[in-house]
Amino acid sequence: MKFRSATDVVGRINMRLQPRGNDLRRQAKVIETMLQEGEALLDRARLLAHLQEFGLSGSTAAWKGLASYADWINTSVVGPLQIPTEMVDYLLYAGRHRPASVAEIGVANGGMATFSAAFFQALNPACQYHCIDIKDRFYVLPRIRERLNFAFHIPSTSDDHAGKVFDVVFIDGDHSYGWAKRDYLNMGRHAKMICAFHDIHGQEYVSEEGGIFGFWRELRATEARQSTMIEFSHAVPGEGVGPRGLWMGIGIIDRTTTRGLPLATA
Ligand SMILES: C[S@@+](CC[C@H](N)C(=O)[O-])C[C@H]1O[C@@H](n2cnc3c(N)ncnc32)[C@H](O)[C@@H]1O
């Protein structure tokens, strides 16, 4: 499937998929459980099971690359637009640092933001989750909205937050090269612990001056000398994502290791 931009994808999908009540109620239960479980969420199998119950956005049903996750997909639009294992591995990686502030650029329906906010809040009850998007289509039950430490900055772009410092910044907004770079310069480079990009392998955006695909590779060439860089890339070659499996992918810059990886002491 080919889309012009991330905004097109979400916009077209939202018009098609309704209603979302049952999905939101089920998601609310998952969130309550996660908040009670705290540190136990650092168990990968447990976190994946919660994500399966929470569900992916119904819009992903059309994505052949997620064919093996057919039973994870909601009937409505609510839920993350992610490969589950990539998302969970990013969360576990960032969660080790118990961030107190996280910003997601491009929250769409709020599926990833809601699940992530509950995860980080379970590990650090003071954690604030900042939601940035140019359009408001965030769906969450009012009681969950109250329960989670959300800060909504909608509509806004990274231009409105230039220079602000967050522990973790997750970049998943406009996927053109120009915006990937702008989001990084405005916010990503100021991230204290982790700066992550979604779609580092996304071929859909390469026509946009190289897209995130191009910017990530350019950044990697210089940044890897200073910080640990990690890539989670779980798309399956041949399963609708081309012979090389280049699709989605989460790239992480870990600033906590700038002074060198901690060495095991005898
Ligand atoms: C692919 S969706 C994000 C998906 C979400 N992170 C998830 O995993 O569920 C991209 C979102 O970025 C938003 N967006 C597009 N351009 C943007 C920009 N310049 N700044 C912030 N958000 C933007 C779109 O409105 C859309 O909601």
Side-chain angles (χ1 to χ4, degrees):
M1 191 176 272
K2 194 140 176 72
F3 299 108
R4 262 192 341 102
S5 71
T7 315
D8 283 357
V9 179
V10 180
R12 259 192 284 155
I13 287 154
N14 279 356
M15 285 187 287
R16 258 193 350 248
L17 292 161
Q18 301 286 340
R20 46 191 181 262
N22 287 345
D23 288 334
L24 286 176
R25 281 189 288 278
R26 179 170 27 77
Q27 289 184 343
K29 280 191 195 158
V30 175
I31 296 306
E32 290 295 353
T33 306
M34 287 172 71
L35 289 173
Q36 282 161 25
E37 284 183 347
E39 295 279 316
L41 294 180
L42 290 171
D43 179 294
R44 188 174 189 265
R46 182 187 292 256
L47 195 59
L48 273 171
H50 284 319
L51 183 54
Q52 179 168 16
E53 181 68 12
F54 188 85
L56 302 177
S57 170
S59 57
T60 65
W63 297 355
K64 290 181 183 155
L66 287 181
S68 57
Y69 288 102
D71 54 338
W72 293 49
I73 296 175
N74 289 330
T75 52
S76 79
V77 73
V78 299
L81 298 154
Q82 300 281 334
I83 294 178
T85 50
E86 289 182 357
M87 175 173 157
V88 159
D89 284 343
Y90 147 72
L91 287 174
L92 291 171
Y93 194 89
R96 296 181 314 163
H97 303 300
R98 311 294 191 278
S101 59
V102 179
E104 181 179 333
I105 304 175
V107 290
N109 69 74
M112 173 156 186
T114 303
F115 191 88
S116 303
F119 172 75
F120 289 121
Q121 197 171 315
L123 299 177
N124 176 359
C127 185
Q128 279 257 320
Y129 201 93
H130 296 259
C131 302
I132 296 167
D133 205 298
I134 52 174
K135 281 195 185 170
D136 188 3
R137 49 192 150 211
F138 201 103
Y139 303 122
V140 63
L141 289 182
R143 67 170 191 275
I144 295 300
R145 197 178 167 118
E146 292 298 308
R147 191 91 167 74
L148 297 175
N149 304 329
F150 279 131
F152 287 101
H153 311 278
I154 305 175
S156 75
T157 71
S158 63
D159 284 354
D160 301 298
H161 307 278
K164 287 187 193 167
V165 177
F166 298 93
D167 286 341
V168 176
V169 173
F170 186 82
I171 298 176
D172 193 15
D174 183 304
H175 289 53
S176 64
Y177 174 93
W179 268 104
K181 184 169 188 172
R182 202 152 151 178
D183 288 342
Y184 179 73
L185 293 177
N186 281 336
M187 295 177 67
R189 70 173 155 156
H190 302 296
K192 264 206 293 205
M193 297 171 174
I194 301 282
C195 170
F197 286 84
H198 190 232
D199 287 311
I200 55 168
H201 299 311
Q203 301 300 289
E204 310 94 299
Y205 317 101
V206 170
S207 59
E208 299 175 47
E209 315 141 56
I212 283 190
F213 182 91
F215 179 64
W216 174 254
R217 277 149 185 80
E218 191 178 296
L219 187 61
R220 201 170 55 180
T222 52
E223 184 69 31
R225 290 172 185 232
Q226 299 153 50
S227 312
T228 300
M229 293 182 83
I230 291 172
E231 300 183 2
F232 295 121
S233 172
H234 301 172
V236 181
E239 273 195 8
V241 294
R244 287 177 295 155
L246 286 175
W247 191 54
M248 290 216 183
I250 295 179
I252 291 176
I253 302 170
D254 184 351
R255 298 254 158 68
T256 66
T257 61
T258 301
R259 287 187 211 101
L261 289 165
L263 297 172
T265 46

